[in-house]
Amino acid sequence: MRFTPASARLASVFLAGTASAALLLASPAVAQQQEWFVPGQGQQRPGAAPAQRPAGQPAQAQQRPPQRPATQAPAPLPPGQQPPTAVIGIVDVPEIQRVSTAFSQVRDEIERRRQRLNDDLQREQNNWREQQQQLANQRASLPADQLRERERTLQDRITDSQRIFRERSRTIEQAAQQALVEIEQTLGVVIRQVAASRKVNLVLPRPLVIFNDPPFDLTEEVATQFNTVLKSVTMPPEATGTEPAPATANAPAAPRPPAPPAQGQPQPRR
């Protein structure tokens, strides 16, 4: 039996054969969030050079998506030897996903995390609007230096919040990718086992087949076995992040640390 489905080939059928998989990996709304600015503060223009990283601060390691294990290609046939007679089986991957408890669990969990992310983002954006409106109303009554300090505090909060939400979005996508890799690998093993029990050496996805007799279809048997082998997927805990503390326009600016004494000035006694 020479049937050894490649992981990449199975992944293409797994992701392209159903809208639910596309929904699972769709980009969340946070990826399209708008850039906020506070009136009176400078905003980086498109195409401008990025801000320099402070000295001594290490660069954040870029997280790579999980790598799929490479599959070994079958050995070529010796010269003159004919390939074995094809014994064909049909598998409907979207149907297996529809009845899979593991896939449904992952889809529901990813949707829940994205909805919570969107809700938190909407709540944070509403807070930004309120603070910006308060600053606009107080512009005529506050001293210039105090107004600039509050604008800078709000701008820092907006920048930190946007970074946190981007990290949360990236974490959700990585969790979805990892879960799909585990489902894909397990499904490949189950298909090989069912094919071996039926003496099948060639398995085709149902969307590529125009017509087939019912005995060729392995979908129901594969789905039953797959739900037995993989009932759920253990996902990493949700990274909610820590949103910056609310900044109110009426709150005084944070106290600055005292300046060090000048050279030659005696230190105060304790």
Side-chain angles (χ1 to χ4, degrees):
M1 174 175 172
R2 295 183 176 276
F3 172 62
T4 55
S7 176
R9 188 173 304 171
L10 178 59
S12 63
V13 176
F14 185 80
L15 296 179
T18 177
S20 56
L23 175 63
L24 188 61
L25 291 176
S27 299
V30 69
Q32 301 177 356
Q33 61 176 317
Q34 57 181 325
E35 293 296 332
W36 286 75
F37 70 97
V38 178
Q41 296 293 322
Q43 187 180 23
Q44 185 175 358
R45 297 180 179 179
Q52 297 294 331
R53 184 181 295 107
Q57 180 178 356
Q60 184 178 5
Q62 184 177 5
Q63 299 180 354
R64 298 180 178 179
Q67 298 293 333
R68 294 184 174 89
T71 56
Q72 185 177 2
L77 292 175
Q81 181 177 347
Q82 297 296 326
T85 303
V87 182
I88 301 176
I90 308 298
V91 171
D92 190 343
V93 175
E95 176 63 19
I96 296 175
Q97 293 175 351
R98 189 184 67 82
V99 300
S100 168
T101 56
F103 188 87
S104 299
Q105 171 238 335
V106 171
R107 181 191 60 226
D108 295 343
E109 176 63 19
I110 293 299
E111 290 179 353
R112 185 192 66 81
R113 294 186 182 188
R114 285 177 177 164
Q115 184 60 46
R116 180 175 178 180
L117 175 63
N118 290 334
D119 293 343
D120 291 346
L121 176 60
Q122 184 65 38
R123 187 162 47 249
E124 183 70 6
Q125 287 179 337
N126 291 337
N127 183 272
W128 298 341
R129 293 188 184 94
E130 293 176 1
Q131 303 308 318
Q132 287 178 331
Q133 184 61 42
Q134 292 182 18
L135 285 175
N137 296 336
Q138 297 173 354
R139 182 170 298 276
S141 59
L142 286 177
D145 55 346
Q146 188 175 0
L147 181 64
R148 285 194 298 269
E149 183 67 23
R150 295 184 180 182
E151 287 178 343
R152 184 164 52 249
T153 300
L154 178 56
Q155 184 64 61
D156 291 342
R157 170 184 170 85
I158 293 176
T159 302
D160 291 343
S161 297
Q162 290 175 337
R163 173 185 55 80
I164 291 172
F165 284 115
R166 284 194 296 267
E167 291 176 355
R168 288 177 59 183
S169 175
R170 183 171 58 251
T171 302
I172 293 175
E173 300 311 307
Q174 290 176 349
Q177 281 283 2
Q178 293 175 1
L180 285 179
V181 169
E182 181 176 351
I183 292 175
E184 169 198 323
Q185 293 175 349
T186 306
L187 181 57
V189 172
V190 172
I191 291 177
R192 287 195 294 268
Q193 293 174 347
V194 174
S197 66
R198 296 278 199 95
K199 306 300 182 183
V200 169
N201 57 12
L202 179 62
V203 176
L204 300 176
R206 181 177 286 176
L208 299 182
V209 178
I210 298 177
F211 171 78
N212 66 278
D213 288 333
F216 287 94
D217 200 321
L218 310 179
T219 301
E220 184 176 356
E221 186 175 352
V222 170
T224 302
Q225 183 68 14
F226 182 66
N227 274 333
T228 303
V229 173
L230 187 65
K231 298 180 179 179
S232 63
V233 176
T234 301
M235 301 182 62
E238 183 177 6
T240 58
T242 304
E243 282 72 13
T248 59
N250 296 324
R256 298 181 179 272
Q263 187 176 2
Q265 182 178 356
Q267 297 285 347
R269 296 183 178 180
R270 299 183 179 275

